[in-house]
Amino acid sequence: MTTTTAGVGTLLRGWRERRRISQLELALRADSSARHISFVETGRSRPSQAMVLRLAEHLDVPVRERNALLVAAGYAPAYPETPLGDPAMHPLRESLDRLLAAYEPYPALVLDGMYDVVAANQGVGALLEGVAPHLLRPPLNAMRVTLHPEGMAPRIRNLRQWRGHLLERIERQIAMTAHGPLRDLYEELAAYPAPPARSEEPSASDDTEGIFPFALPMRIEHGGRELSFISTATTFNTPMDVTVSELAIETFLPADPETAAALRSLTPRAAGPGTR
């Protein structure tokens, strides 16, 4: 039993247990046997490169961590990690810029795996009113800007709900990826002062008709009025690059006609693509 083989077995067992899948179930999914899975996990058998990738696929292991599994098994990484500034990424950047510009006047941005903003449109400006300058220095972190006491937090009318939603989102991502730096970000955000409940802020379980007809909105003050947004997050299907696998396009839909009208008056039509 080599150190390398034992390493990949331990990692695979960790992912299997994290996904709450038995050795037998994983074997059936991967067209293998429970005995072979056991031998791989204990280091008695060295999995082939194809087997590592097959097990990673059925365990829904993120692309970055699939490379780590391959290296632990003694193989070269299968997925490149290409910086967004690389010329090979130009078609992707161009497409993202067109998408962001087309979404105006509504806010839209592109985030990496640590929620750092890598591109944004002009509509995002409506959300950043009054944010402390030090929070806007690159790399601008969307979670930090939203929840920091000197960021958007003082203007978010349903901050307790929105804060809970964002922290739960990061917790789910940590459970899926076992990403250490993301855990550090979560602990930083969770340490920010929790706001007291406001009388105008209904609980998430409130079933009063018309309060949350389809999703939890973010309600934020801007220029003496309240804007209300529903957020969506879009990722790439079957990514073949680590960088692309960790990108997410975050968009903010107006939750009511008043917000839509306000944004149309606040945000002029962009003359060019989104900024990076």
Side-chain angles (χ1 to χ4, degrees):
M1 181 172 63
T2 67
T3 302
T4 299
T5 305
V8 71
T10 300
L11 291 173
L12 284 169
R13 183 174 64 250
W15 283 107
R16 181 180 60 76
E17 292 174 347
R18 190 175 290 114
R19 299 295 184 257
R20 298 184 179 181
I21 298 173
S22 68
Q23 289 181 343
L24 177 58
E25 183 178 355
L26 178 59
L28 292 173
R29 293 184 185 184
D31 193 24
S32 183
S33 68
R35 178 184 175 86
H36 183 55
I37 299 298
S38 175
F39 277 24
V40 168
E41 290 186 353
T42 58
R44 295 178 65 184
S45 176
R46 179 176 186 248
S48 67
Q49 182 185 44
M51 174 58 79
V52 172
L53 291 173
R54 188 156 71 247
L55 293 176
E57 179 182 355
H58 289 289
L59 290 171
D60 197 22
V61 177
V63 171
R64 180 182 295 278
E65 282 69 27
R66 295 186 191 194
N67 276 346
L69 289 173
L70 287 169
V71 171
Y75 303 109
Y79 302 93
E81 184 174 1
T82 312
L84 273 178
D86 191 281
M89 288 291 200
H90 179 72
L92 174 65
R93 297 196 312 271
E94 207 170 45
S95 296
L96 290 173
D97 285 343
R98 283 198 299 267
L99 187 153
L100 296 177
Y103 202 74
E104 291 174 347
Y106 308 143
L109 57 162
V110 181
L111 308 175
D112 66 14
M114 282 294 295
Y115 293 97
D116 288 340
V117 177
V118 298
N121 68 6
Q122 293 190 41
V124 171
L127 302 178
L128 300 180
E129 179 188 50
V131 172
H134 70 90
L135 293 173
L136 300 177
R137 298 190 192 109
L140 189 156
N141 186 273
M143 291 292 185
R144 186 176 292 114
V145 165
T146 302
L147 299 181
H148 195 283
E150 296 180 69
M152 294 164 51
R155 295 189 296 117
I156 299 177
R157 293 181 62 86
N158 58 335
L159 181 57
R160 281 186 72 88
Q161 287 179 306
W162 196 249
R163 177 179 183 270
H165 155 68
L166 294 183
L167 292 178
E168 287 174 7
R169 173 176 170 181
I170 299 176
E171 279 188 307
R172 289 195 300 270
Q173 188 173 346
I174 291 171
M176 288 291 293
T177 64
H179 194 222
L182 198 58
R183 168 60 65 180
D184 295 338
L185 176 63
Y186 173 87
E187 292 177 354
E188 175 193 337
L189 300 174
Y192 294 160
R198 295 185 178 184
S199 59
E200 71 272 18
E201 182 176 348
S203 67
S205 61
D206 195 329
D207 59 357
T208 303
E209 183 177 358
I211 292 180
F212 300 136
F214 44 87
L216 175 69
M218 178 182 71
R219 299 161 48 212
I220 186 168
E221 297 173 6
H222 181 278
R225 57 185 149 188
E226 179 181 299
L227 304 180
S228 185
F229 297 96
I230 301 295
S231 71
T232 70
T234 305
T235 57
F236 289 88
N237 287 331
T238 58
M240 301 302 293
D241 185 282
V242 173
T243 300
V244 175
S245 74
E246 296 176 348
L247 293 178
I249 303 165
E250 190 94 6
T251 58
F252 292 85
L253 295 164
D256 53 51
E258 294 76 18
T259 298
L263 288 171
R264 286 194 293 269
S265 66
L266 287 169
T267 310
R269 178 64 184 170
T275 57
R276 274 182 298 278

